[in-house]
Amino acid sequence: MSTQLAIMRQLSFCAGHRLLGHEGKCAFFHGHNYKVDVEVAPRDGGDVLDGVGRIVDFAVIKQRLLGWLDEHWDHGFIVAAADTNGIAALALVEPGKTFVLPNNPTAENMARYLFDVVAPEVLGDLPVVVRRIVVWETDTSCATATR
Ligand SMILES: [Zn+2]
């Protein structure tokens, strides 16, 4: 069995959100300094590296995925599609930046969205498979999406 290689790039962004149905203070609008860990491996498995010795350049992961995060989530508000009251309130803010997630913007649902929707869109043409995406909501709390 050959050695399996993977790389991880950590990305950061800031965003506001709230959680519908939360029993406590997360029901209110508030924000986090999020971190996202994205781990990728060679699509063909094993230790397939390019001529330089990389799976993919770290800067490519940063450019693609952080580019998406900057455009859609950074310094914006992430709200659930069912949060009609929150969406209506955010629509009054000029300028405003609101991203409507299909489900409540928990770290779990954000990790799943990045894994299922965003990563295939922004990394799909690279010779890599995304193994894991971790969304850190705080320094001590994170959610992991894998397949
Ligand atoms: Zn929160």
Side-chain angles (χ1 to χ4, degrees), residues 117-129:
V117 178
V118 178
E121 181 186 315
V122 301
L123 305 176
D125 64 320
L126 300 174
V128 300
V129 58

Side-chain angles (χ1 to χ4, degrees), residues 37-40 115 129-134 144-147:
D37 297 343
V38 55
E39 182 185 309
V40 306
F115 193 82
V129 58
V130 178
R131 285 268 181 80
R132 174 188 312 270
I133 289 187
V134 184
T144 302
T146 59
R147 186 168 291 125

Side-chain angles (χ1 to χ4, degrees), residues 6-43:
I7 62 168
M8 189 277 281
R9 181 67 161 86
Q10 188 171 72
L11 309 165
S12 304
F13 68 98
C14 309
H17 78 161
R18 72 172 184 175
L19 302 181
L20 275 185
H22 192 275
E23 308 82 0
K25 60 187 182 181
C26 293
F28 304 122
F29 280 136
H30 65 283
H32 296 281
N33 294 318
Y34 288 96
K35 285 190 169 39
V36 173
D37 297 343
V38 55
E39 182 185 309
V40 306
R43 179 169 285 161

Side-chain angles (χ1 to χ4, degrees), residues 2-106:
S2 65
T3 301
Q4 301 286 306
L5 295 172
I7 62 168
M8 189 277 281
R9 181 67 161 86
Q10 188 171 72
L11 309 165
S12 304
F13 68 98
C14 309
H17 78 161
R18 72 172 184 175
L19 302 181
L20 275 185
H22 192 275
E23 308 82 0
K25 60 187 182 181
C26 293
F28 304 122
F29 280 136
H30 65 283
H32 296 281
N33 294 318
Y34 288 96
K35 285 190 169 39
V36 173
D37 297 343
V38 55
E39 182 185 309
V40 306
R43 179 169 285 161
D44 300 323
D47 57 355
V48 182
L49 303 179
D50 69 12
V52 178
R54 302 164 298 192
I55 293 169
V56 63
D57 198 282
F58 290 112
V60 174
I61 302 296
K62 178 189 174 187
Q63 178 188 34
R64 303 281 190 91
L65 194 54
L66 188 60
W68 190 95
L69 290 168
D70 282 346
E71 183 180 347
H72 295 95
W73 286 359
D74 185 52
H75 285 70
F77 269 92
I78 306 166
V79 289
D83 189 359
T84 51
N85 168 255
I87 293 168
L90 290 165
L92 298 175
V93 179
E94 287 290 342
K97 184 174 177 181
T98 303
F99 189 93
V100 179
L101 206 64
N103 304 106
N104 235 358
T106 57

